[in-house]
Amino acid sequence: MPLFHPPAQAGANEFPVTLIKVGVGLADKGLFSEGEALGEIVLAQTGRRTTRLDMPPFAIDTENGRLQWRQLLLALEQRIVLTDAYPGMLADALSDYLFTRSTGHIGSLMTLINRRCQRAQRTGTERLTRDLLDQVRNDEAAEQARRELEYAFRAGKATSRPHGVRTPR
């Protein structure tokens, strides 16, 4: 009588794999809806095994949203490698400006910061300023939405700063 029994082969339903699919409109393209027609439930593989996570843009219309935006900027500040960078460079001095330029979208924000950090290093500026950031166009979607946001910030109708965080002079 054997003392060891090898495990049965794992079937496709038991194989631990993580797949990450990133894109826009994945549900509209049918990624999660195969096998949903009557009589095809057995074919519903992706929709039954997938957890969809959305990444909405940051919003500053609530105190919690403003706090999340500030935390993001503070985290990014710690990762910027410029010799003249300083605490508050993004989260205090450029918060409203960066929200306007990115419209709260992480991809637009990262594009803007990455491009300008490279420029700041090449030119010897070694810090991010509004003047330096003004020298680059961001992605088209952010540039299109920018005008309305700029008006709201100039008119005092919007702010990205949480209560108690002073506007730098």
Side-chain angles (χ1 to χ4, degrees):
M1 202 171 211
L3 298 174
F4 175 75
H5 295 283
Q9 273 191 320
N13 292 336
E14 299 171 14
F15 192 71
V17 173
T18 300
L19 300 174
I20 298 175
K21 177 85 173 177
V22 178
V24 176
L26 298 177
D28 295 337
K29 293 177 175 109
L31 181 66
F32 306 110
S33 61
E34 89 288 6
E36 287 186 354
L38 191 60
E40 295 180 353
I41 298 296
V42 74
L43 301 175
Q45 297 292 312
T46 308
R48 297 242 178 236
R49 295 186 174 123
T50 304
T51 301
R52 184 173 141 192
L53 302 174
D54 291 326
M55 180 66 185
F58 285 84
I60 56 167
D61 54 347
T62 66
E63 185 68 9
N64 188 46
R66 290 186 290 274
L67 286 168
Q68 289 177 359
W69 177 251
R70 181 171 176 73
Q71 289 304 313
L72 171 64
L73 296 180
L74 289 170
L76 291 175
E77 281 181 9
Q78 294 177 359
R79 287 159 181 78
I80 289 178
V81 183
L82 295 172
T83 57
D84 288 338
Y86 58 92
M89 183 174 69
L90 301 182
D92 295 329
L94 295 168
S95 179
D96 286 351
Y97 177 82
L98 290 171
F99 191 86
T100 301
R101 292 293 309 271
S102 68
T103 62
H105 289 82
I106 189 79
S108 301
L109 176 66
M110 295 309 297
T111 297
L112 186 63
I113 290 174
N114 283 331
R115 287 178 181 171
R116 290 302 89 190
C117 280
Q118 292 170 12
R119 175 81 176 194
Q121 289 172 339
R122 280 194 312 269
T123 62
T125 307
E126 292 295 332
R127 78 168 37 187
L128 296 180
T129 65
R130 186 179 178 132
D131 289 340
L132 185 69
L133 290 161
D134 276 340
Q135 295 174 24
V136 68
R137 282 186 53 85
N138 208 354
D139 62 84
E140 191 58 28
E143 290 296 331
Q144 290 295 322
R146 178 181 177 182
R147 286 182 186 82
E148 188 174 324
L149 276 173
E150 284 177 333
Y151 173 78
F153 279 98
R154 272 196 312 268
K157 296 179 185 220
T159 184
S160 65
R161 291 182 180 81
H163 294 320
V165 175
R166 294 180 8 187
T167 304
R169 294 181 185 191

